[in-house]
Amino acid sequence: EAYLVRHAGLTGLTFARTIAAGRERVGLAAEHLVGPFAPLPLDEGTQALLTYGCDALLAGDGIAATHVLGLRVEDVLRQLFAALGMDTSRRETEPDGTTRTDDAPLGLLLRRPIGDGRVPQELLGDDLLQFLHAILDSQTGMNLRNRLAHGLARPAM
């Protein structure tokens, strides 16, 4: 997992430099970065947030881009998994016997069968699944998802 975290840091730096060079050299725009998501079953709000985050990235605002795009990874996965038939919720029973429905945690979604019988590992591949877990969800990894959501992320991250 430590290797994946170091790899993510290097990949992030390379990605940021490539994006900046693409913006300067060939006029790379948010539409170019968001375009590959078009075939996915994403709602308009998610598409708008992806575009906003990519605009921030292209403008060199890594903090805004990270705070918007980092949380979109889970959003995109939830919408994709739901479209494929996965129940992305979890039912909780309260001590008084009542029940409530919550969003299932990301770690659970990455292990839960998709509606057609496949598991996320088959859809995403083992490398991407391990990467997502190490960077977004693992308590011993970056845990970027929780750090962003709870305001614990710092600029150096």
Side-chain angles (χ1 to χ4, degrees):
E1 198 164 272
Y3 164 78
L4 289 172
V5 171
R6 284 193 302 275
H7 175 67
L10 292 173
T11 301
L13 288 173
T14 303
F15 182 73
R17 289 184 179 157
T18 301
I19 293 294
R23 180 188 66 234
E24 299 299 321
R25 293 182 187 156
V26 298
L28 186 66
E31 297 78 35
H32 300 119
L33 299 172
V34 176
F37 292 93
L40 297 179
L42 304 178
D43 64 40
E44 289 181 28
T46 299
Q47 293 172 0
L49 286 166
L50 287 171
T51 300
Y52 182 90
C54 288
D55 279 334
L57 183 64
L58 288 163
D61 189 348
I63 293 173
T66 300
H67 278 78
V68 172
L69 296 174
L71 297 173
R72 297 288 59 81
V73 175
E74 181 175 356
D75 182 27
V76 166
L77 288 171
R78 282 183 182 282
Q79 289 184 54
L80 175 61
F81 291 162
L84 294 173
M86 178 191 284
D87 179 2
T88 60
S89 64
R90 171 176 75 172
R91 280 136 202 79
E92 295 289 328
T93 302
E94 298 292 330
D96 66 2
T98 60
T99 59
R100 70 172 202 266
T101 302
D102 296 331
D103 290 326
L106 179 62
L108 179 60
L109 294 182
L110 294 176
R111 295 186 309 272
R112 183 179 274 184
I114 299 170
D116 61 6
R118 292 181 293 172
V119 292
Q121 182 178 3
E122 293 174 71
L123 182 66
L124 303 173
D126 194 48
D127 289 344
L128 179 56
L129 192 68
Q130 286 182 29
F131 184 81
L132 290 171
H133 177 68
I135 302 311
L136 295 177
D137 190 53
S138 173
Q139 294 295 319
T140 59
M142 282 180 114
N143 200 11
L144 187 58
R145 171 181 155 270
N146 285 312
R147 289 176 188 233
L148 290 170
H150 297 290
L152 303 174
R154 299 293 180 255
M157 297 174 91

